[in-house]
Amino acid sequence: MNDAAEGNGFNPAEEGVVSWIRGDGPHAEIILSTRIRLARNLENYPFREKSGSEDRERARGEIVAAVRPGDAGFERVRSVRLGELSERELNLLLELHLVSRELVNGRTSAALVLGDEGRLSLLVNEEDHVRIQTLLPGFQVEEAWRMAEEMDRVLRGRLRFAFHHDFGFLTSCPTNTGTGLRASVLIHLPALVLTREISKVLQGISQIGLTFRGLYGEGSDVIGNYFQISNQTTLGKTEIELVQHLAKITQQVVEYEENARQVLARDALDEIEDKVWRAYGILSCARAVSFDEMMNLISAVRLGVSMKLLPPVRVFDLNRLLLLTQSAHLESRAGRGLSVREAEVERASLVREILGGGERGTNGGGR
């Protein structure tokens, strides 16, 4: 087997395994990450709904073997079979936004092939045989597309994908047929929520071919004023058109958010200062905090830092808090399973440590 052979894995709990938390991309204070996914299926295999375990194993083997060091963003190739991971390790991958819940649910024949810092990866045997995924910090739609397109071109030189002259790339779900492309940004919009303009904005984007979801994508709730905005259709437009449309509308949403922050600073500065300082004070002193409460408080702190109402906190540290305070990361840090109360105590301790500067300067960039 090549360097991507299963068993040449990685520790998903290691910081630095993903680059999206670094906070060093364009508009990083508002946009956490940009993702591109390309859905592809092998020509000579049944699609997942009609395939047996032997078909899925053979498909997995062909796809993993087609990836080589030096390909696109794969300077180093690491591959792991999800069926060999513990429940905690699978949850770590979910929290890192490297895999989907669907891939985890079908873990028996599923694999993750990971490039450097999670910027490029392959999700094998999810809804489709393979999904090429790029995940970058900040607002980098065109760069994420460039990387995905390059890897797609490499794989098409080694594998035969199911393609129809009239319909384009064929996928398990008809809504992905055509380009097979899903482009999305994870964006923080607290000022639009506070000024009650968010419904108008979300309704507007839904009328022009985009949709929104929560922090973990499809089926997840919006929490902490974080929204995933993505294209709704993949058929009838080219990949470039879809990518440019998302980039254009996202830029407009960023401008709406920035304008809303200016309105808050002009018309409700006392209330906003009180809100963000209360959030900062609670997080700096709390001895136990739930994830949902922390997300809402961190949203306020992130807003306060951006508006220069609070002591400077790096975007990198704010992003780390979103990641490291989730359940699987807390348990990995503690080295054991945690009860709900123990997790709340551990989470509060980690928040105090990071906000207090105890871990600053050890990794990453950002402010």
Side-chain angles (χ1 to χ4, degrees):
M1 277 192 174
N2 63 20
D3 288 341
E6 280 88 353
N8 182 16
F10 62 99
N11 178 7
E14 289 179 357
E15 284 200 66
V17 75
V18 290
S19 67
W20 67 261
I21 71 167
R22 288 201 310 241
D24 59 356
H27 293 295
E29 291 183 351
I30 294 177
I31 299 178
L32 277 73
S33 63
T34 302
R35 184 199 308 270
I36 297 284
R37 280 184 180 173
L38 290 174
R40 300 288 185 260
N41 286 282
L42 298 180
E43 184 178 68
N44 297 320
Y45 288 86
F47 285 7
R48 178 178 167 181
E49 295 302 320
K50 298 291 185 180
S51 66
S53 59
E54 185 176 337
D55 290 323
R56 290 193 291 272
E57 280 298 308
R58 288 173 52 226
R60 178 199 53 74
E62 282 197 30
I63 292 165
V64 171
V67 186
R68 302 165 191 169
D71 289 343
F74 285 106
E75 294 181 12
R76 176 188 175 197
V77 180
R78 294 174 289 177
S79 176
V80 61
R81 297 188 63 169
L82 268 63
E84 297 175 353
L85 298 181
S86 67
E87 197 68 29
R88 184 186 300 166
E89 289 171 324
L90 291 169
N91 285 327
L92 283 169
L93 293 176
L94 281 169
E95 292 174 2
L96 288 163
H97 291 215
L98 288 175
V99 301
S100 64
R101 175 58 65 183
E102 187 163 3
L103 191 72
V104 169
N105 291 341
R107 71 191 71 174
T108 304
S109 56
L112 173 67
V113 184
L114 190 69
D116 292 346
E117 296 185 308
R119 293 166 60 86
L120 177 65
S121 58
L122 302 183
L123 282 63
V124 183
N125 282 332
E126 192 210 40
E127 183 179 272
D128 298 284
H129 290 146
V130 61
R131 290 196 170 177
I132 301 165
Q133 174 176 264
T134 55
L135 183 59
L136 303 182
F139 187 33
Q140 301 191 68
V141 179
E142 292 185 359
E143 173 62 13
W145 160 243
R146 184 198 63 76
M147 291 176 61
E149 181 188 32
E150 183 180 353
M151 191 63 213
D152 184 43
R153 187 167 54 248
V154 168
L155 290 181
R156 280 190 281 132
R158 298 170 188 165
L159 302 168
R160 293 181 64 87
F161 289 139
F163 185 87
H164 190 278
H165 178 73
D166 294 324
F167 301 122
F169 290 101
L170 302 180
T171 56
S172 294
C173 180
T175 59
N176 291 326
T177 295
T179 62
L181 181 145
R182 291 288 176 184
S184 65
V185 293
L186 181 57
I187 188 167
H188 183 227
L189 304 174
L192 285 172
V193 172
L194 289 169
T195 56
R196 301 184 180 179
E197 294 292 316
I198 190 66
S199 296
K200 185 191 304 182
V201 171
L202 296 179
Q203 184 179 7
I205 68 171
S206 68
Q207 295 173 350
I208 52 175
L210 300 179
T211 188
F212 73 94
R213 300 180 172 94
L215 184 64
Y216 297 103
E218 190 169 359
S220 65
D221 295 328
V222 173
I223 181 174
N225 302 314
Y226 293 97
F227 300 81
Q228 265 195 34
I229 299 176
S230 66
N231 61 300
Q232 201 163 19
T233 58
T234 65
L235 190 63
K237 291 186 177 180
T238 67
E239 293 90 341
I240 291 296
E241 287 173 333
L242 292 170
V243 165
Q244 290 180 343
H245 183 58
L246 176 68
K248 176 183 176 181
I249 301 305
T250 299
Q251 182 63 52
Q252 291 178 359
V253 173
V254 168
E255 291 173 5
Y256 295 152
E257 172 66 20
E258 290 174 340
N259 290 338
R261 295 182 184 194
Q262 292 175 11
V263 169
L264 291 174
R266 184 190 68 212
D267 298 340
L269 184 59
D270 289 347
E271 292 89 338
I272 293 302
E273 280 190 312
D274 182 64
K275 180 181 180 66
V276 300
W277 274 104
R278 281 176 182 270
Y280 187 82
I282 291 171
L283 289 173
S284 298
C285 299
R287 263 43 189 175
V289 63
S290 71
F291 182 71
D292 285 4
E293 181 186 10
M294 187 217 69
M295 286 291 289
N296 289 320
L297 294 170
I298 285 294
S299 174
V301 169
R302 193 182 190 101
L303 176 63
V305 171
S306 175
M307 295 178 67
K308 297 181 171 53
L309 302 176
L310 291 175
V313 180
R314 295 185 306 173
V315 173
F316 172 62
D317 286 324
L318 295 171
N319 290 351
R320 288 176 71 215
L321 284 173
L322 298 185
L323 177 64
L324 300 181
T325 56
Q326 296 180 73
S327 297
H329 277 82
L330 289 176
E331 290 186 349
S332 179
R333 185 173 188 257
R336 61 183 179 87
L338 299 173
S339 68
V340 172
R341 182 61 179 178
E342 288 174 331
E344 291 177 347
V345 171
E346 186 75 15
R347 181 177 296 111
S349 174
L350 182 58
V351 170
R352 295 196 310 274
E353 186 176 343
I354 292 178
L355 284 185
E359 293 192 1
R360 292 195 197 171
T362 59
N363 286 288
R367 293 174 46 141

